[in-house]
Every structure is written in structure tokens, then in C-alpha cells.
């Protein structure tokens, strides 16, 4: 049954994405706020399908930690859900993403029209420069920047090295860093139909002020908070940590 719901969801999302991908691409003739209003309608449709077709709901902890000014969000990346869910939670934002996604028909066109920061992960030095230059431009224009510091999807209970690009952007721009943990991977796996009903918890940590801190320090603080919070959200994925507490 879960696979059937997932297949229906993917079909409906595809049908939803085609007209909106075209619409937002044509909207490049208009200011960014107009494009964001178009995408907001698509986002509401996506989230409604998550709830009523897949049976996925979500809750937010720490919403009071969201700063009033544009910031750099460093978030855990476990599934496709957070690429849309975070748009629902935070003010207008852009993602740092791999440039290959821009080639996806309709969906990729929409990403390009929304001025996402696309990078070539094979060209590390140039990619970092793009993040710094475009990230500062987006922040100064009033948009938040979301970066998945591990660089790829990571299965629940696992972690990868946190890359410091987002922390460097914070130092160079003066923007605060907002760490975000969530357990979306518990209901939305890597497989195309590996999606089940459930409740996703998104936890937002206290913002990190870059003043007087190095990028290394900021990155370490964000990683420590996210990984500690992941153990709290999904304790069954960290049996060794539980054993250490008992001991």
C-alpha cells in the first residue's frame, strides 16, 4: 500500500510540476517576489500531497530561534522532503545545489528561475567561489541561503564530514548560521517508492554569530549541535550513544 501511495504521489507531483515549471520559467520577465509567489503555490500543493496522499506530517521545534535577518542555514540532508519542507518553514530562500539538477525538465527550469546557487562539485575551488560570491549577493538581497554541509543525502544514524563552505560564507558575509536537524529520512528513503506515512520533526538550533569566530569553529559548533540533536530525534539509530549514557 505504501508503494502504491508513493507511486500516486510521484504521478501527481509530476503533473503539478510541469505547469508550474513552465510558469516560473516565463516569470523570469518579472521580479523575484513574483516568482516566489508562483513557487509558493506549487509548494503548498506538494506539501498537501505529502499530507493527504503519503500521510506525512511535520512539526517544528525551536521556531523561535529563526533570526529576523537573512541567515545561512546548515541542515541535515536525508531525503527529498526537506528541499521543499524547509521552504515552508523559513523565509524566502535559495539552496546551494549541484548544477546537474538544473537540467531536469520543468523542475530544473524552476530552480534556475529562482536563482538557486548551482555549483560544479568536481571543481571544488570554483564551487567555493560561487558559494561565496552568489551567497553574499543573495543574502544582501534579502534571501536566506540553505546549505547541506555533508554534501549529499545521509541515511538516518550516519554522518559525513561537514564541509566548511557554509561557515566560510557566514564569516565573509557576517550572516548568522542556523543549524537544523530533522528525521525526514525515517519516512522518506532513497528509493523512488521508499516512502511511508509518519511524523517528521524539524529542530532548529540557536543561531551562531560569526563575529570573532573562525569558519572552522563555526562549522564545528554547527556540526556538534546537529549531530547531538539527531541522537535526540532518532535515538534508536544511535544505540552506542545510549549505551554510553547508561554506562
Amino acid at each position: 500500500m505504501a508503494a502504491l501511495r508513493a507511486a500516486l504521489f510521484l504521478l501527481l507531483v509530476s503533473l503539478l510540476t510541469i505547469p508550474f515549471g513552465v510558469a516560473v520559467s516565463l516569470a523570469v520577465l518579472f521580479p523575484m517576489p513574483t516568482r516566489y509567489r508562483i513557487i509558493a503555490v506549487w509548494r503548498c500543493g506538494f506539501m498537501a500531497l505529502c499530507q493527504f496522499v503519503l500521510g506525512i506530517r511535520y512539526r517544528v521545534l525551536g521556531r523561535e530561534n529563526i533570526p529576523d535577518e537573512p541567515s545561512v542555514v546548515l541542515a541535515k540532508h536525508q531525503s527529498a522532503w526537506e528541499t521543499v519542507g524547509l521552504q515552508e518553514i523559513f523565509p524566502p530562500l535559495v539552496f546551494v545545489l549541484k548544477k546537474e539538477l538544473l537540467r531536469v525538465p520543468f523542475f530544473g527550469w524552476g530552480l534556475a528561475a529562482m536563482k538557486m546557487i548551482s555549483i560544479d562539485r568536481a571543481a571544488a575551488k570554483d564551487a567555493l567561489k560561487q558559494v561565496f560570491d552568489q551567497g553574499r549577493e543573495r543574502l544582501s538581497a534579502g534571501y536566506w541561503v540553505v546549505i547541506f554541509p555533508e554534501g549529499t543525502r545521509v541515511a538516518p544514524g550516519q554522518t559525513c564530514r561537514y564541509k566548511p563552505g557554509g561557515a566560510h560564507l557566514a564569516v565573509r558575509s557576517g550572516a548568522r548560521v542556523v543549524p537544523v536537524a530533522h528525521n525526514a529520512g525515517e519516512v522518506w528513503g532513497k528509493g523512488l517508492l521508499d516512502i511511508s506515512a509518519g511524523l517528521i520533526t524539524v529542530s532548529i538550533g540557536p543561531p551562531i554569530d560569526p563575529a570573532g569566530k573562525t569558519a572552522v569553529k563555526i562549522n564545528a559548533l554547527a556540526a556538534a549541535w546537529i549531530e547531538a540533536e539527531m541522537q535526540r530525534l532518532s535515538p534508536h539509530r544511535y544505540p552506542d550513544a545510549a549505551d554510553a549514557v547508561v554506562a
Side-chain angles (χ1 to χ4, degrees):
M1 184 60 71
L4 289 176
R5 286 200 304 267
L8 176 60
F9 170 82
L10 292 174
L11 173 62
L12 294 176
V13 164
S14 298
L15 295 176
L16 178 70
T17 301
I18 291 172
F20 277 97
V22 172
V24 77
S25 297
L26 296 175
V28 294
L29 301 173
F30 298 94
M32 284 293 290
T34 300
R35 303 178 218 174
Y36 271 93
R37 284 194 288 270
I38 294 172
I39 287 299
V41 178
W42 175 87
R43 184 185 70 241
C44 289
F46 181 98
M47 297 302 285
L49 290 174
C50 283
Q51 180 177 353
F52 297 111
V53 175
L54 296 175
I56 292 177
R57 297 169 295 109
Y58 77 95
R59 63 172 181 161
V60 179
L61 306 178
R63 196 183 288 272
E64 68 278 4
N65 289 324
I66 299 178
D68 294 328
E69 72 279 359
S71 303
V72 178
V73 175
L74 297 185
K76 197 73 176 179
H77 190 21
Q78 292 187 340
S79 73
W81 181 89
E82 58 269 18
T83 63
V84 180
L86 292 179
Q87 298 179 50
E88 182 110 332
I89 296 167
F90 287 94
L93 52 78
V94 297
F95 286 90
V96 174
L97 46 80
K98 56 185 180 182
K99 68 177 184 179
E100 290 83 359
L101 290 175
L102 301 184
R103 304 191 189 113
V104 179
F106 303 108
F107 180 73
W109 304 347
L111 294 177
M114 300 309 295
K115 299 181 71 174
M116 301 292 175
I117 302 173
S118 60
I119 61 173
D120 181 358
R121 292 193 294 187
K125 189 174 181 180
D126 289 340
L128 279 176
K129 187 176 186 304
Q130 285 180 302
V131 172
F132 299 153
D133 294 344
Q134 295 182 46
R136 283 188 293 186
E137 187 276 328
R138 302 297 192 274
L139 288 164
S140 64
Y143 297 99
W144 292 53
V145 177
V146 178
I147 298 176
F148 299 123
E150 291 169 286
T152 187
R153 295 187 195 184
V154 179
Q158 298 181 14
T159 186
C160 290
R161 183 180 72 87
Y162 278 61
K163 300 175 179 63
H168 279 290
L169 174 59
V171 170
R172 295 192 180 199
S173 65
R176 290 195 280 181
V177 168
V178 181
V180 175
H182 63 82
N183 59 354
E186 298 288 353
V187 299
W188 196 309
K190 278 193 173 183
L192 198 60
L193 301 180
D194 186 14
I195 308 173
S196 58
L199 175 66
I200 293 172
T201 298
V202 178
S203 185
I204 302 169
I208 302 169
D209 189 340
K213 299 183 181 68
T214 65
V216 172
K217 179 64 173 179
I218 294 169
N219 198 50
L221 289 172
W225 188 90
I226 292 172
E227 292 305 318
E229 188 67 1
M230 289 306 305
Q231 294 185 27
R232 193 175 74 85
L233 296 179
S234 301
H236 59 289
R237 299 287 185 178
Y238 302 89
D240 293 341
D243 292 342
V245 172
V246 172

